Amino acid sequence: MPWKGEKDPYKIWLSEIILQQTRVEQGLSYYQRFIATYPTIADLAQAKDEDVFKLWEGLGYYNRCKNLLHTARIIYYELDGKFPNNYDTIVALKGIGPYTAAAIASFAFNLPYAVVDGNVFRVLSRLFAIDTPIDSTEGKQQFALLAQEVLDKKNAALFNQAIMDFGATVCKPTNPQCNSCHLKEICTGFNNALVNRLPVKEKVLLKKNRWFYYFILQHEETVLVEKRTSRDIWENLYEFYLLETTEQIIWKEATLQEWLNQQFGIERATIHSVSPLQKQQLTHQSIKGQFIKVNLTSIPQNLLKAQWQPLKDLQQLAFPKFINQYLEL
Ligand code: SF4
């Protein structure tokens, strides 16, 4: 991305404002056109309103554009054309919230402010095994404090970029590369096999289409089971090891082996079977998924504390219908 490693506060600000509520692929061409047309804050400040709005066309949320122009003119006409170089002045500018202010302060001026984007929420929640919902007021505060605490204050720009990149490439949403991650020894989420439960989002529970992939991990005559404890469907019922996603995954032998290796450090497992697609329609949600039966020769280190239920006692547990349907088959 052209704004990566950027030190010019104007360009960082522009990229942040364009990317609010906009996908990166879409925002990229707008950013490039803005920079080509208005290379400096002075050019933007002196531009005609209608020209700027024309360039913004298609991005929506026109308030962002209005604030952009307003702030450019404040900086150009009232602040000597110089972008403020301290957090408090930056965050006081119209249209700049704490996130954007932290990004400008740290990337442009290397000031010690942590930038907490989705990647950072995910990395921190897994590393410290924090299950406070990241989209709750409490969660936002908790993670902002933690991010500030772990920030390398002398290298804020580098640190912020590094943790974001780490989240985007290693600690990824659905297939984190735990087994090859250099933080796995100290990662509480990994060491307690909680990675796929984190981060927790309140709003996920409102999602209409959910994909449930159940891993039936069998070791000798026992199978891993877990009790659903969160305030969600099927509360207090039992299930197998769950990987929930928002999109379908097409599993192949190689992707399964890779996933099991990264999540549990299993070198080679025997994939016994992958069930056909199963569906259940609930009042407000559609659940789709598959059951993947895996035979293990030993219990992975990070699953030692899990509940391994003797197969013969499986019927004693209460499972949701979705699972019972499969078990009956
Ligand atoms: Fe993320 Fe896994 Fe590394 Fe923990 S071990 S930081 S969950 S990639």
Side-chain angles (χ1 to χ4, degrees):
M1 294 303 137
W3 47 80
K4 210 156 152 176
E6 183 59 66
K7 294 275 168 231
D8 180 345
Y10 165 62
K11 291 181 183 162
I12 297 167
W13 169 54
L14 193 60
S15 68
E16 291 295 342
I17 301 298
I18 288 176
L19 291 179
Q20 283 168 12
Q21 286 137 333
T22 301
R23 281 179 299 112
V24 172
E25 307 84 71
Q26 192 198 3
L28 180 60
S29 59
Y30 280 88
Y31 173 80
Q32 285 165 331
R33 266 179 273 145
F34 260 88
I35 293 296
T37 318
Y38 309 116
T40 67
I41 202 159
D43 298 315
L44 180 62
Q46 295 173 89
K48 280 195 204 140
D49 282 18
E50 56 267 33
D51 292 344
V52 180
F53 278 105
K54 185 73 198 156
L55 210 55
W56 189 270
E57 202 174 61
L59 268 180
Y61 301 95
Y62 278 85
N63 239 359
R64 285 190 286 165
C65 183
K66 232 170 101 187
N67 290 337
L68 189 76
L69 254 176
H70 175 87
T71 294
R73 286 170 185 158
I74 295 282
I75 294 174
Y76 182 65
Y77 292 109
E78 293 177 21
L79 302 176
D80 232 5
K82 289 199 188 70
F83 214 102
N85 61 1
N86 69 79
Y87 179 87
D88 292 336
T89 319
I90 298 172
V91 82
L93 293 167
K94 209 167 178 182
I96 300 190
Y99 174 86
T100 307
I104 299 169
S106 69
F107 292 135
F109 306 111
N110 207 22
L111 293 171
Y113 289 89
V115 181
V116 192
D117 74 345
N119 288 309
V120 178
F121 274 119
R122 187 168 60 255
V123 171
L124 294 180
S125 75
R126 289 173 173 173
L127 206 48
F128 294 92
I130 300 171
D131 61 2
T132 317
I134 57 171
D135 49 354
S136 65
T137 313
E138 189 198 346
K140 282 180 195 151
Q141 282 171 353
Q142 187 179 3
F143 283 100
L145 279 175
L146 180 61
Q148 196 58 34
E149 207 178 302
V150 298
L151 176 74
D152 177 352
K153 312 276 186 305
K154 292 203 180 93
N155 295 297
L158 191 62
F159 183 91
N160 280 332
Q161 193 59 60
I163 191 167
M164 286 180 184
D165 287 352
F166 178 73
T169 57
V170 181
C171 199
K172 298 182 286 181
T174 42
N175 192 13
Q177 304 295 292
C178 298
N179 203 33
S180 37
C181 170
H182 62 280
L183 294 179
K184 81 172 177 188
E185 307 296 330
I186 58 155
C187 178
T188 319
F190 174 72
N191 290 311
N192 292 285
L194 294 168
V195 174
N196 294 300
R197 311 271 171 278
L198 298 167
V200 172
K201 281 190 198 158
E202 269 175 354
K203 289 201 185 98
V204 143
L205 308 182
L206 305 173
K207 282 236 164 70
K208 291 205 176 87
N209 294 304
R210 301 172 75 176
W211 290 89
F212 282 19
Y213 294 101
Y214 278 120
F215 285 81
I216 307 179
L217 303 174
Q218 184 174 340
H219 174 249
E220 296 175 348
E221 290 307 301
T222 61
V223 67
L224 187 151
V225 290
E226 294 182 323
K227 197 174 190 178
R228 288 181 68 87
T229 50
S230 60
R231 284 176 50 220
D232 189 4
I233 53 168
W234 309 336
E235 195 178 346
N236 289 323
L237 297 183
Y238 279 85
E239 64 185 358
F240 301 110
Y241 188 92
L242 171 67
L243 170 66
E244 179 175 352
T245 61
T246 48
E247 274 159 32
Q248 184 174 16
I249 299 178
I250 307 293
W251 293 103
K252 297 204 173 109
E253 168 81 22
T255 48
L256 277 169
Q257 293 288 358
E258 156 80 3
W259 190 82
L260 290 164
N261 177 262
Q262 290 299 347
Q263 304 312 301
F264 309 116
I266 298 169
E267 284 305 331
R268 183 143 192 97
T270 309
I271 314 292
H272 179 277
S273 57
V274 180
S275 78
L277 200 64
Q278 202 163 311
K279 299 175 192 170
Q280 188 181 352
Q281 187 61 45
L282 304 175
T283 319
H284 299 293
Q285 302 183 2
S286 142
I287 312 291
K288 291 189 196 128
Q290 277 173 296
F291 291 82
I292 299 148
K293 194 158 177 280
V294 181
N295 291 340
L296 304 173
T297 47
S298 61
I299 297 180
Q301 190 68 26
N302 62 359
L303 291 175
L304 282 176
K305 287 190 226 140
Q307 182 175 343
W308 291 87
Q309 182 80 358
L311 278 170
K312 62 178 177 45
D313 299 334
L314 211 53
Q315 293 139 302
Q316 292 171 5
L317 305 178
F319 291 103
K321 188 174 159 205
F322 190 80
I323 293 182
N324 276 329
Q325 278 173 351
Y326 167 78
L327 290 177
E328 276 160 26
L329 279 176

